[in-house]
C-alpha cells in the first residue's frame, strides 16, 4: 500500500505526532485471511419487541461459531433500560469494559418513530464497547415492505442512525443497515458473514436489501467451488485482485483483458489457475466471440464481473468527442451488449451472478469526469432495471461503487487531492483492491440469492455523495 | 449574511487576493426579486430525436416571455454535430461568445446508452456560454417508467452528467435533472419556472421527478393567493423566512411556535399580515388543539410546512436519553401525529400541500447527531411512504433537505468547520434561509400538482452525501 502517511502514523514516533497534532489517525483495518474466525470476540445481539430476526440471527451466529455475549437472553427491549446505567458506570470507571466484536440489533419490530428509542438504549451504553475494526449491524424492514407509513418512516429513519454511528465510533468500526424483506429471514447468512468478517473491512455506512429467496447449502470455506467466473479488465489493479479472490473462494476464473495487456493477463490467469482471454470488448463482434469462447470451453458462465473500465478526464468543454465515446463504450455500452448476448444464448444459468462496477463518481458526479460519471451512473440504472427481469431467471445483478482505492491510477493523483480523497471518509484511509474484490465475492456467493438490485459502496463511508 | 470571507472576496482587493492565491471564489448568486424576469438572456433549447418535451418546453418558455435563441429550430439532434466545431472556434477566438441564461436539453428521446453522445454534442460547445448564475436543466424519463432496460440505463445515466456539470461549470451555475413521467408533460411549468429563476439560487445537482397531474391555472405573480399556510417553528431563522416568502406569494400565513418564542413569533406574524399560534407541538393535545384552531379560524389548511426542528448534539455514548427523545419528538413524531389529525378531520383539502424539512444529515448521517440524523432520515421515510396514500386525495407531500444555511445556529459552529461547510459545495458558499423558503414555496405552488414524494436538497450541491 502506497499510503505513506498511514504507514508513518502506525510507527511509534508517528503515533505520538498524530496524537499531539490531532491529525487524522487511520486505524489498521482487520482484513480477511483464510482460517480467520468471522470476528474477534463476542457479539452482542438484541432486538426490539416483535423483531422477526433475532432468533434466526442467533441461530446463524451459533452455527458460524460466533459467541453471543450474555445479557441478550433477557426479554427483548428490557436490556436497554438497565444497560444505560451500566454503561454510565462502565464509562466512569473506564478501567476495562467488556469488549465485543460486533453489536447487532434487530429493529424489525419497530413500527413507529417513538419506538426508535430502543436503538438509543442499545447503543448508548455500548458506544465504547467494540474491539478495533468492530461491526455495527442494524437489521430492519425495507420501507416499501412496511404495512403503515408510520412503520415505513421508522424503518427509513434507521439509515440516519447507522450512518451517524459509522461516523462516530471510529477505530475501524463499520456500521450498516440491512433491510430484510419479510420472508427473507433465511437469506441473511451470506450477508451476515460478509459484514462481520474482515472481508468487508472498507464497506461502511451502507444499506443492503435482502429479498426472499431459496438459499442452497454453502461451503463457506470455498463458496464458489465449481463456478465459472468471467472477470473483465483482469490484467491488473482491481480486476486482477477480483480474479485472485474469486479463485481463492473456489471459482474457475476466465480472466479477460485487451490484447495489449496480454502478458500481465497471462500472469494473472496462471497465478489463479484460470484461463486468459484477450479481447477488445468494444469490438462489434466481441460479445459473440466471448459467448462462443465460454460456450466452447465451459458450456456456461456462472459469474460475470464487468470490471473493465477506463477514465479519460477533461471538463466537457475541453473534452475530445472520442474520449466521451470511448469511456461510454468501455464502461457501459459494451457491458450491455455482452449481457444481452450471454443471456440470449442461455449461457448464464439459474443461480447466475452479474456484477458491475460503478463508482462514487457515478453517484455524486465529478468535475472533469462527465463521461465517466455518466457511464457509472448508467451502470446503476443497468443494475436497477435488469434486476426484476433477471429475477425471473434466478439470476442476480448488483454493483459495487468504489470510493478512493489505492491503485496505480490513484497513485497518479496530485498529493493534496490524493490526501483529501484518502482521509475524507470514516476510516481515514484509502481502500485496497482486495476490499472491492471481497465485496464482489460476496455478491457472487451462492448464498447471496436474496441480494439483487443492490449498489454497495466500497468507500470507507466517504463523505462524498449526493 | 455573515459570510465575511465571501463579502471580502467580492471587494476589489479581495478579488485580487482570491485570484492570486487560488482561494475559493464564491460567486454572487442571482436571487429572486419581485418583478425580475425569469432569467437574464436567452435560453438554448434542444432535444434528442424523439423527445417528448421539446415542443411543450418551447411553448412554456414562450408564454413566460423567455427568448429561445436561434439554432434550436433546426432538426433535432443535428445542431449538436455542427455546434461542436462552432464552439471550438468560439473557444479559440475567446472574444465574446454569445451567452445564454440557460441550457435546456430534452433527453427523453434517448433510448440507449450510445445515444448519450447527443448530450456531449449539446453541452461541449456551450460549456462557457452561460451568464453567471446560469442554469442547466436536462429533462429525462424516470427510469421506472422506461420500457426497456437499455432506456432505463441511459436515462439513469443522465444523473452522472448533470451532477458533473454542476461541479464543472462554476460561476453560480446550477444543474438539474428533471425526470418527467410520460403524461406529465403539462405538469412541468412550475418546476421550469422555479429552476430558471433566482428562486432556485442554492439548489443544484438535484433530480426532480414529475408525475402526471391536472394542473390548474396559476397566477405566477401570486401563486398562493387565497391559500391558508401553516408554518411551524416560524418565530425565527428559516421558519420566519418561509412565512415571509409564502406571504409574498399570496398566502395567508398561520405562524406557529412555542410560547417561549411568543414575541418573535408575533413580530413575524404581524410582518406578514398573518396570525400567530403559540403551541408546544410535543404536547399530547397539540394536534387536536391545532386542528381546532385551524377549523375555527379558517375551516381548512392548504399548506402545512413542518419546519419546527431542534438539535441536541452529542455522540450517542455521551448523549442524555432526554436529548434523544426531544429531537425525535419535535423533528419527527409530533409531525406524524399532526398530519394524522389534520388529515383525519379532513382539514387538508384536495390540492393540499404537506412540506417537511429533512437535512443533509438525514441523508449522510453526521457525527454527534445520531438523534438528529435519525429524525431527519425518518422525515424522508415519511415523505416516501405518505406520497402514494395522499395522491388518492389530491394532496402532495415533499421535503427540502437543507445543507449549510447561514443562520443563528450555523453562526455558532467553530470557524474552521463553518468554513469547510460553507465552501465544500459547488457554489463555494452557504445558502440563505430564503433559498430554503423559495424551494418550499415551489412545492407549495398550485402548479406543483405533479410533484410528490420528492426530497430536494438545498445545499449548493454540497459534496456531503451517501
Amino acid at each position: 500500500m502506497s499510503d505513506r502517511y498511514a504507514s508513518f502514523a502506525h510507527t511509534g514516533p508517528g503515533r505520538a505526532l498524530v496524537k499531539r497534532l490531532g491529525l487524522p489517525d487511520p486505524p489498521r483495518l482487520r482484513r480477511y485471511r483464510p482460517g480467520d474466525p468471522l470476528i474477534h470476540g463476542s457479539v452482542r445481539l438484541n432486538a426490539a419487541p416483535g423483531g422477526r430476526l433475532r432468533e434466526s440471527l442467533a441461530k446463524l451466529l451459533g452455527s458460524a461459531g460466533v459467541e453471543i455475549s450474555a445479557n441478550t437472553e433477557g426479554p427483548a427491549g428490557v436490556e436497554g433500560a438497565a444497560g444505560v446505567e451500566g454503561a454510565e458506570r462502565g464509562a466512569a470507571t473506564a478501567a476495562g469494559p467488556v469488549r465485543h466484536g460486533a453489536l447487532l440489533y434487530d429493529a424489525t419490530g419497530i413500527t413507529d418513530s417513538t419506538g426508535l428509542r430502543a436503538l438509543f438504549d442499545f447503543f448508548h451504553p455500548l458506544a465504547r464497547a467494540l474491539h478495533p475494526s468492530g461491526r455495527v449491524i442494524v437489521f430492519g424492514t425495507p420501507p416499501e415492505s412496511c404495512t403503515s407509513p408510520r412503520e415505513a418512516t421508522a424503518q427509513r429513519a434507521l439509515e440516519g442512525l447507522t450512518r451517524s454511528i459509522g461516523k462516530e465510533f471510529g477505530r475501524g468500526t463499520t456500521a450498516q443497515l440491512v433491510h430484510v424483506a419479510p420472508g427473507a429471514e433465511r437469506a441473511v447468512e451470506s450477508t451476515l458473514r460478509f459484514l462481520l468478517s474482515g472481508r468487508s473491512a472498507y464497506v461502511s455506512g451502507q444499506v443492503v436489501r435482502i429479498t426472499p429467496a431459496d438459499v442452497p447449502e454453502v461451503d463457506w470455506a470455498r463458496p464458489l467451488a465449481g463456478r465459472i467466473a468471467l472477470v473483465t479488465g483482469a490484467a491488473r489493479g482491481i480486476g486482477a485482485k477480483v480474479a485472485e479472490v474469486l479463485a481463492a473462494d473456489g471459482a474457475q476464473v476466465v480472466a479477460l483483458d485487451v490484447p495489449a495487456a496480454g502478458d500481465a493477463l497471462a500472469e494473472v490467469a496462471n497465478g489463479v489457475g484460470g484461463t486468459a482471454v484477450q479481447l477488445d470488448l468494444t469490438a462489434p463482434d466481441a460479445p459473440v466471440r466471448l459467448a462462443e469462447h465460454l460456450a466452447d470451453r465451459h458450456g456456461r458462465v456462472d459469474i460475470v464481473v464487468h470490471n473493465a473500465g477506463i477514465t479519460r478526464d477533461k471538463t466537457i468543454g475541453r473534452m475530445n468527442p472520442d474520449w466521451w465515446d470511448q469511456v461510454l463504450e468501455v464502461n457501459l455500452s459494451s457491458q450491455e451488449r455482452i449481457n444481452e448476448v450471454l443471456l440470449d444464448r442461455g449461457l448464464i444459468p439459474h443461480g447466475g451472478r452479474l456484477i458491475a462496477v460503478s463508482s462514487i463518481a457515478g453517484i455524486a458526479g465529478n468535475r472533469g469526469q462527465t463521461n465517466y460519471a455518466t457511464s457509472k451512473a448508467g451502470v446503476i440504472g443497468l443494475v436497477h432495471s435488469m434486476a426484476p427481469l433477471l429475477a425471473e431467471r434466478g439470476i442476480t445483478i448488483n454493483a459495487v461503487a468504489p470510493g478512493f482505492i489505492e491503485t496505480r491510477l490513484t497513485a497518479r493523483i496530485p498529493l493534496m487531492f490524493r490526501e483529501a480523497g484518502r482521509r475524507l471518509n470514516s476510516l481515514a484511509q484509502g481502500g485496497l483492491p482486495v476490499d472491492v474484490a471481497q465485496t464482489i465475492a460476496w455478491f457472487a456467493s451462492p448464498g447471496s440469492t436474496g441480494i439483487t438490485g443492490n449498489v454497495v459502496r466500497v468507500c470507507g463511508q466517504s463523505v462524498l455523495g449526493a
Side-chain angles (χ1 to χ4, degrees), chain A:
Chain A
M1 149 157 126
S2 54
D3 183 346
R4 289 193 204 156
Y5 174 83
S7 309
F8 171 69
H10 292 154
T11 64
R15 280 228 77 71
L17 203 65
V18 159
K19 215 161 182 182
R20 178 176 290 238
L21 298 181
L23 295 174
D25 186 10
R28 253 184 238 278
L29 302 183
R30 171 172 62 98
R31 286 195 169 87
Y32 170 78
R33 282 166 312 187
D36 276 358
L38 266 190
I39 191 143
H40 300 302
S42 64
V43 163
R44 188 73 168 262
L45 167 69
N46 211 335
R52 287 181 283 121
L53 287 161
R54 186 186 165 141
E55 272 182 47
S56 56
L57 289 172
K59 209 174 289 176
L60 290 177
L61 291 168
S63 73
V66 174
E67 184 200 343
I68 304 176
S69 75
N71 249 34
T72 62
E73 299 307 319
V78 171
E79 184 232 8
V84 174
E85 275 181 62
E88 296 292 353
R89 265 204 314 278
T93 69
V98 180
R99 292 213 183 269
H100 305 284
L103 308 176
L104 268 51
Y105 196 82
D106 170 11
T108 55
I110 296 176
T111 55
D112 185 289
S113 60
T114 57
L116 293 165
R117 168 65 186 271
L119 288 142
F120 173 85
D121 292 338
F122 179 69
F123 286 110
H124 169 69
L126 298 169
R128 293 190 233 161
L130 277 171
H131 285 298
S133 287
R135 297 290 185 258
V136 168
I137 313 178
V138 173
F139 295 86
T141 302
E144 64 275 18
S145 303
C146 291
T147 53
S148 74
R150 286 255 189 161
E151 184 186 7
T153 298
Q155 292 294 324
R156 180 62 176 75
L158 299 173
E159 268 192 57
L161 180 77
T162 53
R163 291 208 161 111
S164 298
I165 285 179
K167 295 185 175 185
E168 277 186 16
F169 277 21
R171 304 172 74 225
T173 303
T174 65
Q176 335 282 351
L177 173 59
V178 179
H179 272 152
V180 183
E185 293 76 11
R186 292 165 150 275
V188 174
E189 187 167 10
S190 75
T191 300
L192 179 65
R193 284 174 175 265
F194 171 68
L195 293 178
L196 288 178
S197 77
R199 292 180 188 257
S200 63
Y202 202 63
V203 176
S204 188
Q206 299 307 295
V207 181
V208 175
R209 206 180 58 257
I210 305 185
T211 42
D214 289 330
V215 180
E217 279 291 308
V218 181
D219 169 3
W220 297 105
R222 282 176 67 80
L224 304 182
R227 308 266 157 158
I228 312 293
L230 171 70
V231 181
T232 70
R236 57 174 66 89
I238 290 172
K241 192 54 83 170
V242 172
E244 196 183 297
V245 167
L246 297 185
D249 277 355
Q252 190 175 341
V253 171
V254 181
L256 183 150
D257 215 313
V258 289
D263 291 348
L265 181 69
E267 206 175 306
V268 169
N270 291 335
V272 303
T275 57
V277 178
Q278 295 184 14
L279 192 64
D280 174 359
L281 292 172
T282 64
D285 63 347
V288 168
R289 285 180 53 201
L290 177 59
E292 285 172 357
H293 174 89
L294 292 166
D296 290 352
R297 294 288 189 88
H298 308 282
R300 69 179 202 283
V301 59
D302 301 290
I303 298 160
V304 178
V305 182
H306 287 289
N307 164 73
I310 58 170
T311 55
R312 296 283 183 273
D313 297 352
K314 270 293 186 215
T315 57
I316 197 168
R318 295 174 181 279
M319 188 182 289
N320 186 309
D322 292 347
W323 282 21
W324 177 275
D325 291 343
Q326 286 166 24
V327 167
L328 268 291
E329 184 60 26
V330 174
N331 297 5
L332 182 57
S333 306
S334 67
Q335 186 176 153
E336 295 179 279
R337 288 198 301 272
I338 288 165
N339 285 345
E340 282 170 13
V341 171
L342 295 180
L343 288 164
D344 280 355
R345 300 193 172 201
L347 285 167
I348 306 176
H350 195 278
R353 301 279 183 263
L354 290 177
I355 300 157
V357 178
S358 181
S359 162
I360 283 198
I363 293 167
N366 201 10
R367 186 169 195 286
Q369 293 198 312
T370 47
N371 50 359
Y372 186 75
T374 301
S375 72
K376 294 299 189 179
V379 165
I380 296 174
L382 174 68
V383 166
H384 288 164
S385 61
M386 294 285 286
L389 300 176
L390 292 175
E392 297 164 14
R393 303 170 64 159
I395 299 167
T396 68
I397 182 168
N398 296 283
V400 290
F404 188 96
I405 304 296
E406 306 277 356
T407 63
R408 212 170 39 100
L409 291 175
T410 51
R412 285 198 217 132
I413 297 172
L415 179 69
M416 287 302 294
F417 290 101
R418 199 165 69 223
E419 270 304 299
R422 270 179 184 147
R423 304 301 161 218
L424 289 178
N425 60 68
S426 296
L427 303 174
Q429 61 196 289
L432 302 181
V434 70
D435 299 322
V436 180
Q438 291 287 8
T439 307
I440 288 172
W442 159 55
F443 287 143
S445 168
S448 299
T449 327
I451 305 172
T452 192
N454 276 253
V455 177
V456 171
R457 291 165 51 146
V458 185
C459 67
Q461 194 177 29
S462 168
V463 302
L464 299 176

